[in-house]
Amino acid sequence: MATKSETRISNPAEFGRVAVVMGGSSAEREVSLDSGRNVLAALRARGVDAHSIDGIPALLDALRAGHFARVFNILHGQHGGGEDGVLQGALESLNVPYTGSGVLGSALSMDKTRSKRVWQSLGLPTPKFVALPRGGDAAAVHVAAREIGFPLIVKPACEGSSVGVTRVFEEAQLDSAVELAAKYPGDLLMETLIEGDELTVGILGREVLPSIHIVPKGAFYDYNAKYVAEDTQYLCPGLQGDAENELRALALAAFDALGCAGWGRVDVMRDRQGRNWLLEVNTAPGMTSHSLVPKAARTAGIDYGALCWRVLETSFREGT
């Protein structure tokens, strides 16, 4: 898959005709459309011959017809969302270059339970967790919760954008949390709720961007705080000195452990004792006006247009 070195492009014609695939059929469709419109405008402003495509079926039809040279994937989520390895496998079979992580990194990152098992095996810190099979016995869920201890988090194992996530502080809240998470495809995940600061670290090629400390107005960084609210604060860099360096190193180790490449974002909780806990990796992060990777890139001196260009450069892999 992607190599450790980065290819830099100076002439937009070298990209050829680019499909910016957005939308799709996942629970994150609207966010993807917003991201995609921004990316498309930025690439066109820099002279790239870029065109929008909505969803995987339309994209594959266009690729089989020979209409595009490469793909900028800004789909989010699974099951038609293009972030779970399925699209990546199809593009590999067609020998079409694309941005971001390959099949393995995409699939592993989308499945939070398996991500955590990989990190655990390597000694990387992640909150204590229990995997909950879909349709599992309600009594077993309560036993698992008592094993984890309250407060805890219940969420779908394979969704992003805080979709279906509930913070559970007492056992009486547990059944409704499971019911919400079960509305989404796949298994569920229960993990210790780390109380402290929410941080995220963007990765661009092999460059680790400054961290962001997210300070939502409400109790936590939910879907509304991410995409709707205007009162969420973003402190960048989120930490200073050795603490910032340690966090960035952990983020890159977590990214590499899952076989990710190109670009992405690693979400972390920092507890009251200053310990970092890995939550998940996003292999096609949001690129909306509220999104985090553009904010971190701006702090690093990379404007939005340059960021989109750099991401498109990640489609140049060995042999492409």
Side-chain angles (χ1 to χ4, degrees):
M1 292 311 306
T3 61
K4 296 296 185 184
S5 59
E6 296 179 57
T7 299
R8 303 309 305 269
I9 302 299
S10 57
N11 182 357
E14 293 184 58
F15 292 119
R17 200 163 189 259
V18 177
V20 179
V21 61
M22 63 183 82
S25 55
S26 81
E28 299 177 71
R29 172 177 171 79
E30 294 306 317
V31 179
S32 173
L33 286 171
D34 193 0
S35 293
R37 286 188 287 264
N38 292 339
V39 169
L40 182 67
L43 291 177
R44 285 178 169 174
R46 293 175 70 94
V48 177
D49 184 14
H51 303 264
S52 65
I53 294 283
D54 188 342
I56 295 173
L59 174 67
L60 296 181
D61 286 346
L63 292 173
R64 282 190 289 261
H67 293 326
F68 295 103
R70 66 190 62 245
V71 173
F72 191 120
N73 177 25
I74 198 62
L75 290 168
H76 303 320
Q78 62 165 345
H79 297 297
E83 205 175 350
D84 57 4
V86 174
L87 173 60
Q88 289 74 15
L91 296 178
E92 293 280 348
S93 72
L94 294 172
N95 199 31
V96 174
Y98 57 92
T99 55
S101 291
V103 176
L104 177 64
S106 300
L108 267 180
S109 298
M110 179 52 60
D111 190 323
K112 297 177 182 67
T113 303
R114 286 172 173 80
S115 296
K116 290 163 76 70
R117 285 175 177 150
V118 170
W119 291 332
Q120 243 183 8
S121 73
L122 296 173
L124 297 176
T126 190
K128 185 178 179 181
F129 70 98
V130 172
L132 303 176
R134 169 169 290 280
D137 178 63
V141 170
H142 283 260
V143 170
R146 288 191 285 271
E147 178 187 330
I148 292 288
F150 296 94
L152 54 81
I153 290 267
V154 175
K155 57 188 172 184
C158 298
E159 292 290 346
S161 294
S162 299
V163 169
V165 176
T166 305
R167 290 153 50 103
V168 180
F169 293 91
E170 56 187 36
E171 195 157 355
Q173 300 171 314
L174 191 58
D175 291 341
S176 61
V178 170
E179 183 180 354
L180 174 62
K183 291 181 178 178
Y184 300 90
D187 292 338
L188 313 184
L189 174 66
M190 178 188 293
E191 68 181 359
T192 299
L193 169 62
I194 304 296
E195 297 186 273
D197 296 332
E198 186 158 357
L199 295 126
T200 194
V201 182
I203 294 171
L204 181 59
R206 299 305 295 168
E207 180 178 353
V208 184
L209 299 174
S211 72
I212 296 177
H213 175 199
I214 303 156
V215 187
K217 184 78 169 179
F220 80 114
Y221 193 48
D222 59 8
Y223 186 96
N224 184 75
K226 287 180 178 178
Y227 302 115
V228 181
E230 298 292 345
D231 54 7
T232 303
Q233 289 184 285
Y234 303 96
L235 310 178
C236 186
L239 298 172
Q240 301 293 330
D242 290 343
E244 172 75 3
N245 294 334
E246 289 167 10
L247 176 60
R248 291 197 207 181
L250 175 62
L252 186 60
F255 188 78
D256 288 344
L258 300 184
C260 298
W263 75 303
R265 201 189 75 231
V266 182
D267 294 341
V268 179
M269 286 299 298
R270 186 174 179 85
D271 68 21
R272 307 288 188 212
Q273 289 72 47
R275 294 173 299 197
N276 297 315
W277 300 91
L278 295 165
L279 297 182
E280 63 178 284
V281 174
N282 296 272
T283 54
M287 292 286 279
T288 72
S289 60
H290 286 65
S291 293
L292 301 170
V293 172
K295 295 179 191 296
R298 191 161 55 245
T299 298
I302 305 167
D303 66 25
Y304 189 89
L307 172 61
C308 292
W309 183 282
R310 290 273 300 273
V311 172
L312 187 55
E313 287 175 333
T314 73
S315 65
F316 285 86
R317 292 173 165 82
E318 190 174 15
T320 65

